[in-house]
Each structure stands twice: as structure tokens, then as C-alpha cells.
Amino acid sequence: MAKFLALVTITVAVVSSCHVSATEPAGADRNALLSFKSSVQGNSLSHWGSHRTWKGVKCDSRGRVISLELSGFKLTGVISPAIGNLSALEILDLSANQFSGVISPVIGNLPALKILELSANQFSGVISPAIGNLSALKILDLSANQFSGVISPAIGNLSALGLLDLSYNQLSGSIPPELGKLSRLGYLSLHNNLLTGVIPETLGLLKSVTYISLYYNNLTGDIPDICNCHSMTTIILYENKLTGEIPFSTRCQLPHLDTLDLSDNRFVGVIPSSISNFTNLTMVHLDDNKISGAIPRAIGSPPLLETLSLSNNMLEGPIPSEIFQLQTLSELDLSYNQINGGIPETLSNLTELNQLILRNNRINGEIPKSIGAAQQLFFIDISYNCLQGAIPETLSNLTYLQHLVLKDNQLSGPIAWS
Ligand SMILES: *[C@@H]1O[C@H](CO)[C@@H](O)[C@H](O)[C@H]1NC(C)=O
Ligand SMILES: *[C@@H]1O[C@H](CO)[C@@H](O)[C@H](O)[C@H]1NC(C)=O
Ligand SMILES: *[C@@H]1O[C@H](CO)[C@@H](O)[C@H](O)[C@H]1NC(C)=O
Ligand SMILES: *[C@@H]1O[C@H](CO)[C@@H](O)[C@H](O)[C@H]1NC(C)=O
């Protein structure tokens, strides 16, 4: 969604900045297009050049090609090096086809290029460092291909870049610290690659960045200090080998942060209380780490929290009562920790709660009768705890309930189903 919005905003800016006319491609640009066509298979381009039809091509009044937009044209083949002759090209969009082969370094000869969109093809080989010459480039999307090798530090030269998406490839090596020079970068997506090494400190310099996703790599080391990235909305780092503490000091202000997913890593230490200052948080996933200590009361402060998943850590102490004030909460998963104490009557405040997963803890006391007021519950798993007393009849009030697991407690009585 964030990416889509970024694309729309930047595309609109590009289109309105050039005067498009219906002129046909002329001279060397026409030859370059015919050469491009000759290395491509697929019917969509069969009329190119005849009857003045150039589907997907836009030219300026001098017949220079300014955009080549062939997304989803069912094309197979390679990109002819002749593309490097289209020196007025501003938009090259070949996404969602079956292009293969490497990207020739001639791509670096396109000084006006603002959008390079090659996602969802079968391009392979290394991403040519010549891409670093594209000084006007705002969008670089090479996601969902088979690019391998390292991410060239030359990408740090793309000083106009707003969106960088290299996700779903086989890129290896480490993230180049030079990315920290991309002062206009809003969207950084490198997930689903084979990246190793640390997240460079320099990413903390990206003042405009709103979205960072680095999940499904083998990144190690600590998370750098990102507390100056004040525009940040989304941080997704799950399935790496990151260590150290969650680095949000009390001076950390991320007022727009909406999604924080650090699950499946090796984080230690406590959940920082500064989280209470992240007033736009809706999703916090810290599961499958080695986080310890008590769940801080501050976790109940972000007023819009919908999903809180802290499963499979080393958390202890009671569930802070503040959690039961979170009226927007829809999923609460605290399973596989060492949480004790009871479930308070105020559970009834959670009128949006869908899933309550507390299994494998040391929770005691009775299941509060007020559970029947948490009307949206459809999944309850409170098994493997120390709950006692009668199973409340009010469970039968939960009309959406589909999954109820109570085993391995000391509960008694029948379950009344309506
Ligand atoms: C591209 O430009 C080079 C140098 O001007 C020229 O030799 C070549 O024929 C051109 N190729 C095409 C396909 O237009
Ligand atoms: C991470 O490294 C492990 C061990 O070397 C390997 O099995 C795994 O496939 C790697 N995962 C990714 C996403 O690179
Ligand atoms: C929230 O931010 C204020 C202002 O920077 C700071 O004084 C306070 O300590 C922060 N609260 C927490 C719990 O970190
Ligand atoms: C909830 O269930 C109890 C016991 O089954 C019943 O007496 C009560 O009226 C129900 N409350 C609502 C709001 O349906």
C-alpha cells in the first residue's frame, strides 16, 4: 500500500512535467525500438511500426521516446542493448512479463530516466553498477526477479531516489552503507534475499524514510539507531539473526510508526517503555526472540493498537492491566512465556478482540465471567496454564467462537454451547 501510494505520487509528478504528444518515434529512437522488438517474443508488439501504432510508447514533439510502458504485455526475451540509445527515456516499465538475461550496463546511458520498473520478470545476474549513473532516477523496482551477487554501492549515487525495491531476488553480501546517502528515500524494501552482515548505521540517516522491510534475510548484529527517522511508518525485520536490545531510547520519537515487526530474531533485553510515545502503532510483533522481564505498562498506551504478539519469549510477571484498556485490540498473543497472575474482569473492555492466545504460561485464577462481553472473540487458546474454577457459562454468549482450547488447566464444569 505504502509502495503503491509512493508510485502514484511520483508517477503523477513525472507525467505532468513533460508535454506528451502523439508524435511517432523518429530517427535513431525508431531504430532502437525496432531493435528492442527484434529481441522480444510476444504478440503485443506485432503492430509496432505499422499503421503508426506504437502501443506502450510515448514520444515528445521531436519524436524522442520518453516512455516505454509494457507492463503485463506477456513478453518474453531479453532487453536489447539498443535501449541505451533512447537517451530521452524517462519511464521504462517492463514489469510483469517474462524478460530474462542480464541488464546491460547501457542502461546507465539514460540520463533522463526517472522510473525503472522491471519487477516480476526473470532477470538474472548482477545488478549492473552502471545503474548508479541514473542521476534522475526516482523509482528503482527490480523486485521478484533472480538477480544475484551484491548490491552495488553505486546505488548510493542515485540522489533523487524515492523508492528502492530489490525484494524477492537472490542478492547476497551485505547492505551497502552508501544507501544512507539517499536523502530522499521514502521506501526501502530488500526482503526475501540472501543478505548477510549488519544493517548499516547509515540507514539511521534516512530522514525521509517511511518504510523499511528487510525480512527473510540472514542479517546479524544490532538494529542501528533509527530514532531520527521521524517519518517512519513501517519497520519489518522478521526472520533474520539480529541481536542486541530493541534500541528505542526514551528520547526516541517515532510518532508515525504504525507497524513494528521484529519477530524471529535473537533480540534480548526488555520491551522499551518508549513504545508509549509511538502513538500511531497498530501492530507490534516481537514473537520468537529472547526478550525478558515484565511486559511494560507502556504497552497499553498506543491508543490504536490492534495486534500485539509477544509469543515465545522469556517474559514474566502479570499481564499489565493497561492492555485491557486497548479498545482497538483485535489480536493478543502472549503464548509461550512465563506470565503469571490472573485474567482481569476488564477483559470485557476488549470488544474488538478476535484472538486471545495465552497458552503455555503460568496464568492462574478463574476465567472471568466478563469474557462473554468480548463479543468478537472467535479464537481462544488458554491451554497449559494454572487456571482454576468453573468454566464460565457466559462463553456461550460468544456467537463467533470457533476455536476454544482450555486443556491442561484445573477447570471444571460443562461448556455450554448455544
Ligand atoms: C545505437 O547508437 C549507436 C551509436 O550511435 C549506433 O552505432 C547503433 O547503430 C545504434 N543502435 C540502434 C539499434 O539504433
Ligand atoms: C540463512 O542461513 C541459513 C544457514 O546458513 C540457511 O539455511 C538459510 O537458508 C538462510 N536464509 C536466508 C533467508 O538466507
Ligand atoms: C516520551 O517522550 C518524552 C519527550 O521526549 C520523554 O520525556 C519521555 O521520557 C518519553 N517516554 C518514555 C516512556 O520513553
Ligand atoms: C450471557 O450469558 C449469560 C449466561 O448464559 C446470560 O444470563 C446473559 O443474559 C448473557 N448476556 C448477554 C448480553 O447475552
Side-chain angles (χ1 to χ4, degrees):
M1 187 59 177
K3 178 172 157 188
F4 177 72
L5 287 179
L7 270 170
V8 169
T9 321
I10 299 170
T11 310
V12 167
V14 171
V15 170
S16 58
S17 71
C18 75
H19 43 96
V20 176
S21 87
T23 319
E24 271 199 88
D29 277 19
R30 185 186 167 94
N31 291 340
L33 284 179
L34 290 173
S35 189
F36 174 87
K37 178 183 164 180
S38 69
S39 61
V40 169
Q41 296 83 51
N43 294 330
S44 341
L45 305 187
S46 57
H47 295 295
W48 260 22
S50 60
H51 312 102
R52 300 171 65 91
T53 322
W54 293 90
K55 207 171 150 198
V57 179
K58 283 186 192 132
C59 299
D60 67 10
S61 54
R62 295 164 301 151
R64 300 296 321 268
V65 174
I66 55 169
S67 102
L68 187 55
E69 291 176 89
L70 307 175
S71 179
F73 272 44
K74 299 192 166 74
L75 302 172
T76 314
V78 298
I79 305 184
S80 158
I83 198 104
N85 289 15
L86 298 174
S87 58
L89 198 63
E90 295 179 15
I91 302 176
L92 178 58
D93 181 357
L94 306 180
S95 60
N97 284 292
Q98 282 173 47
F99 282 100
S100 54
V102 297
I103 302 205
S104 158
V106 299
I107 205 90
N109 301 349
L110 303 174
L113 200 64
K114 293 183 173 135
I115 298 180
L116 180 57
E117 169 53 274
L118 303 179
S119 64
N121 279 287
Q122 282 151 32
F123 289 114
S124 57
V126 295
I127 299 169
S128 170
I131 276 188
N133 298 341
L134 299 171
S135 57
L137 203 64
K138 293 185 173 180
I139 294 179
L140 177 58
D141 185 356
L142 307 181
S143 61
N145 280 289
Q146 284 147 35
F147 287 111
S148 56
V150 300
I151 301 174
S152 169
I155 288 184
N157 297 340
L158 300 173
S159 55
L161 202 65
L163 182 152
L164 176 61
D165 192 345
L166 306 179
S167 62
Y168 292 109
N169 279 292
Q170 283 140 39
L171 298 166
S172 56
S174 50
I175 301 173
E178 286 79 1
L179 293 191
K181 293 194 290 181
L182 300 172
S183 60
R184 304 206 180 142
L185 196 68
Y187 185 101
L188 174 63
S189 182
L190 304 177
H191 65 81
N192 289 81
N193 277 292
L194 306 168
L195 298 169
T196 53
V198 301
I199 302 176
E201 290 280 337
T202 53
L203 293 196
L205 303 172
L206 295 172
K207 289 248 163 61
S208 308
V209 79
T210 63
Y211 184 103
I212 293 189
S213 75
L214 307 177
Y215 60 89
Y216 265 114
N217 280 291
N218 264 329
L219 299 168
T220 51
D222 295 3
I223 306 185
D225 182 355
I226 49 165
C227 290
N228 290 321
C229 304
H230 293 302
S231 309
M232 190 80 84
T233 65
T234 308
I235 304 173
I236 312 180
L237 305 179
Y238 68 79
E239 291 258 9
N240 278 291
K241 291 174 180 155
L242 298 166
T243 50
E245 300 194 10
I246 302 171
F248 301 138
S249 60
T250 50
R251 62 168 192 88
C252 199
Q253 303 284 340
L254 298 175
H256 304 290
L257 192 66
D258 165 282
T259 300
L260 178 65
D261 193 335
L262 307 181
S263 49
D264 267 300
N265 277 288
R266 294 167 184 178
F267 291 114
V268 297
V270 299
I271 301 173
S273 290
S274 50
I275 220 160
S276 65
N277 276 338
F278 304 167
T279 50
N280 265 301
L281 268 180
T282 63
M283 190 186 107
V284 176
H285 277 193
L286 304 178
D287 30 294
D288 297 298
N289 279 291
K290 297 190 171 91
I291 298 168
S292 58
I295 303 174
R297 296 187 170 281
I299 204 96
S301 299
L304 306 174
L305 202 62
E306 291 171 13
T307 305
L308 178 61
S309 185
L310 307 177
S311 172
N312 205 13
N313 278 290
M314 291 146 64
L315 295 163
E316 56 195 21
I319 308 173
S321 59
E322 285 78 0
I323 284 185
F324 300 98
Q325 310 303 326
L326 285 167
Q327 302 202 350
T328 48
L329 200 64
S330 70
E331 187 185 329
L332 179 63
D333 184 353
L334 307 178
S335 59
Y336 298 96
N337 280 289
Q338 287 138 45
I339 292 164
N340 56 31
I343 306 174
E345 287 285 343
T346 49
L347 177 64
S348 59
N349 291 341
L350 302 182
T351 51
E352 299 297 321
L353 196 65
N354 285 312
Q355 299 189 52
L356 177 65
I357 308 172
L358 303 176
R359 65 174 294 162
N360 292 76
N361 278 292
R362 296 172 187 164
I363 297 169
N364 52 38
E366 299 192 356
I367 303 174
K369 291 191 177 56
S370 65
I371 195 167
Q375 281 289 321
Q376 301 297 322
L377 272 172
F378 77 85
F379 191 110
I380 300 175
D381 186 347
I382 49 182
S383 59
Y384 300 96
N385 276 292
C386 313
L387 291 159
Q388 298 169 327
I391 297 168
E393 286 176 13
T394 53
L395 278 175
S396 66
N397 293 12
L398 297 174
T399 44
Y400 300 115
L401 193 61
Q402 289 188 5
H403 190 95
L404 175 65
V405 190
L406 303 175
K407 72 177 168 200
D408 265 85
N409 281 289
Q410 285 128 49
L411 296 163
S412 58
I415 303 175
W417 291 95
S418 56

